[in-house]
Amino acid sequence: MASPSDRFRQIISYALVVGRDGHGKPALGPVSPARARVQPSRRLIRDASGNEQLASHVIYTDAPLTLQHRLWLPGEDTSDFNRARRPAAVDELVDGVGLVSFRKVWL
């Protein structure tokens, strides 16, 4: 039986925000790759604060992403913090056993 992750044929990069430097700029942990499916999106969503936001992309992945991560799309320079994207919302899709099978990340 095919799983949703069989369709994750692109590679994104992500890093956890581990703190802030003396100027308030986020400090990131190590950058990790993850298999994903990246789709352009023009959908109005509600972010974690309840504010409406127009999403530019939706990413499907089984990586353990949260709102505390920063993401780079396929081919983007991970050494450039200014290219890192902050998730607006993360939805976890759970299988019949109650385990998270994949995440839907809105940018």
Side-chain angles (χ1 to χ4, degrees):
M1 181 187 216
S3 80
S5 64
D6 292 342
R7 297 180 186 209
F8 301 162
R9 296 187 179 137
Q10 296 166 292
I11 301 295
I12 60 168
S13 299
Y14 67 96
L16 180 64
V17 175
V18 294
R20 304 256 176 207
D21 67 12
H23 301 287
K25 180 180 173 186
L28 300 177
V31 175
S32 301
R35 292 177 49 218
R37 182 172 145 221
V38 179
Q39 278 186 213
S41 175
R42 302 274 309 157
R43 177 175 272 176
L44 195 59
I45 63 164
R46 291 199 185 276
D47 64 16
S49 301
N51 300 316
E52 288 187 343
Q53 180 174 334
L54 183 62
S56 64
H57 291 84
V58 61
I59 298 172
Y60 300 88
T61 184
D62 51 9
L65 299 177
T66 67
L67 296 174
Q68 298 303 312
H69 284 87
R70 297 299 179 266
L71 308 171
W72 291 267
L73 297 180
E76 291 183 337
D77 181 5
T78 59
S79 67
D80 184 357
F81 176 79
N82 295 322
R83 298 290 300 172
R85 298 165 193 251
R86 183 179 186 171
V90 177
D91 296 329
E92 293 183 333
L93 289 103
V94 179
D95 65 14
V97 182
L99 300 174
V100 175
S101 60
F102 66 95
R103 289 166 183 82
K104 196 172 176 180
V105 181
W106 299 92
L107 302 176

